[in-house]
């Protein structure tokens, strides 16, 4: 059986050993913080999708309402035109009008009939539109109800997972404070924290076979020798991470 790797080789700088312990805690903190950031982002994305679906349903319902209102208006106007048509027909057949007036009545009656026919076609077209809108509303309503159910379930899970992640983060921050207080000089700690931000939670990188495992660039021989002495901090000339090497 092989034991765990030796994390404290004789020539490793003592501060570097402390930073390796701190790095492990910070790596976990970054994972938790990414989770805390991703959960509300995913929630917002899903909420936006639900809002789009809801708005589409509302838009379709407004279209139905507006179209039905327009149908009633056209039918009311058409009813008035039919009454006008009957009045013209009665006047033309009253026997009191001369030929010219009768011809004028007949011309107006023809125009009124065409207007009524056009209006009836418009009503039919709008009724077909309402029918199509209502079909789409029925389909969209089913889809929306299911998506809303899934979203509400996801939102509840997000609240639970966020609370759990916050608890993990709180414990890790306490652990980090304890490790940070373990004799790391302020200058090195500040340097480490700066790299932690710029390198997304990975301020240190192992040097293995002459290659930085943070950016996978070959490290110059003189840098490797400096690190082997264990007397100073050595950084990667490519990614600026603090280098370390196991025995």
């Amino acid at each position: 059986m092989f034991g765990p790797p030796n994390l404290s080789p004789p020539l490793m700088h003592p501060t570097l050993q402390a930073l390796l312990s701190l790095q492990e805690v910070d790596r976990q903190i970054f994972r938790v913080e990414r989770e805390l950031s991703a959960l509300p982002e995913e929630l917002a994305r899903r909420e936006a999708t639900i809002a789009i679906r809801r708005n589409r349903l509302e838009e379709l319902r407004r279209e139905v309402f507006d179209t039905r209102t327009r149908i009633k208006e056209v039918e009311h106007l058409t009813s008035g035109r039919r009454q006008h048509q009957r009045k013209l027909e009665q006047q033309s057949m009253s026997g009191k009008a001369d030929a010219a007036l009768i011809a004028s009545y007949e011309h107006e009656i023809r125009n009124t009939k065409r207007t009524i026919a056009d209006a009836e076609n418009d009503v039919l077209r709008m009724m077909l539109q309402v029918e199509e809108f209502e079909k789409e509303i029925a389909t969209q309503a089913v889809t929306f109800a299911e998506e809303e159910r899934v979203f509400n379930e996801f939102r509840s899970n997000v609240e639970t997972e966020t609370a759990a992640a916050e608890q993990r983060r709180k414990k890790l921050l306490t652990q980090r404070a304890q490790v940070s207080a373990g004799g790391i000089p302020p200058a090195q700690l500040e340097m480490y924290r700066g790299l932690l931000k710029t390198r997304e939670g990975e301020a240190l990188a192992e040097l293995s076979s002459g290659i930085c495992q943070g950016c996978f660039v070959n490290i110059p021989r003189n840098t490797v020798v400096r690190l082997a002495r264990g007397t100073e901090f050595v950084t990667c000339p490519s990614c600026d991470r603090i280098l370390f090497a196991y025995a």
Side-chain angles (χ1 to χ4, degrees), residues 188-199 203:
Q188 280 78 9
L189 189 58
E190 183 179 354
M191 175 185 179
Y192 165 83
R193 286 174 175 167
L195 288 167
L196 200 67
K197 292 180 181 179
T198 58
R199 296 304 174 189

Side-chain angles (χ1 to χ4, degrees), residues 9 34 60 82 86 109 116 199 221 236:
R34 277 197 295 269
L60 286 169
R82 287 196 182 98
R86 286 193 293 271
I109 288 169
I116 292 171
R199 296 304 174 189
R221 177 64 183 170
C236 172

Side-chain angles (χ1 to χ4, degrees), residues 48-184:
T49 301
I50 288 290
I52 290 172
R53 185 78 68 185
R54 183 186 296 109
N55 291 340
R56 177 57 182 160
L57 267 174
E58 291 174 356
E59 179 184 338
L60 286 169
R61 286 170 178 144
R62 282 195 301 271
E63 288 282 0
V64 168
F65 176 81
D66 292 344
T67 304
R68 287 189 183 281
T69 300
R70 179 59 182 156
I71 287 172
K72 289 180 180 179
E73 291 172 351
V74 172
E75 286 177 339
H76 177 72
L77 290 172
T78 302
S79 176
R81 290 189 179 105
R82 287 196 182 98
Q83 291 177 5
H84 180 61
Q85 176 188 334
R86 286 193 293 271
K87 183 178 179 180
L88 291 173
E89 289 170 343
Q90 290 171 358
Q91 289 175 339
S92 67
M93 293 184 296
S94 65
K96 297 179 181 180
D98 58 23
L101 188 55
I102 291 174
S104 175
Y105 285 149
E106 289 176 348
H107 175 73
E108 189 172 352
I109 288 169
R110 287 193 297 271
N111 286 340
T112 302
K113 285 181 177 181
R114 280 196 296 269
T115 301
I116 292 171
D118 289 343
E120 289 174 340
N121 288 334
D122 285 342
V123 167
L124 179 60
R125 176 182 56 79
M126 287 187 287
M127 290 176 68
L128 291 173
Q129 281 183 336
V130 167
E131 185 178 338
E132 290 300 316
F133 286 146
E134 288 179 335
K135 285 180 182 178
E136 187 174 354
I137 286 171
T139 302
Q140 293 274 0
V142 171
T143 303
F144 175 73
E146 175 60 17
E147 288 183 354
E148 190 172 42
R149 183 194 67 76
V150 172
F151 171 75
N152 288 334
E153 182 178 328
F154 177 77
R155 179 168 55 190
S156 177
N157 291 337
V158 165
E159 291 171 358
T160 302
E161 291 175 19
T162 298
E166 287 287 3
Q167 285 297 318
R168 293 199 304 274
R169 182 175 180 272
K170 184 178 179 180
K171 291 179 180 179
L172 287 167
L173 288 174
T174 300
Q175 187 178 348
R176 176 205 269 175
Q178 293 170 349
V179 175
S180 298
I184 303 174

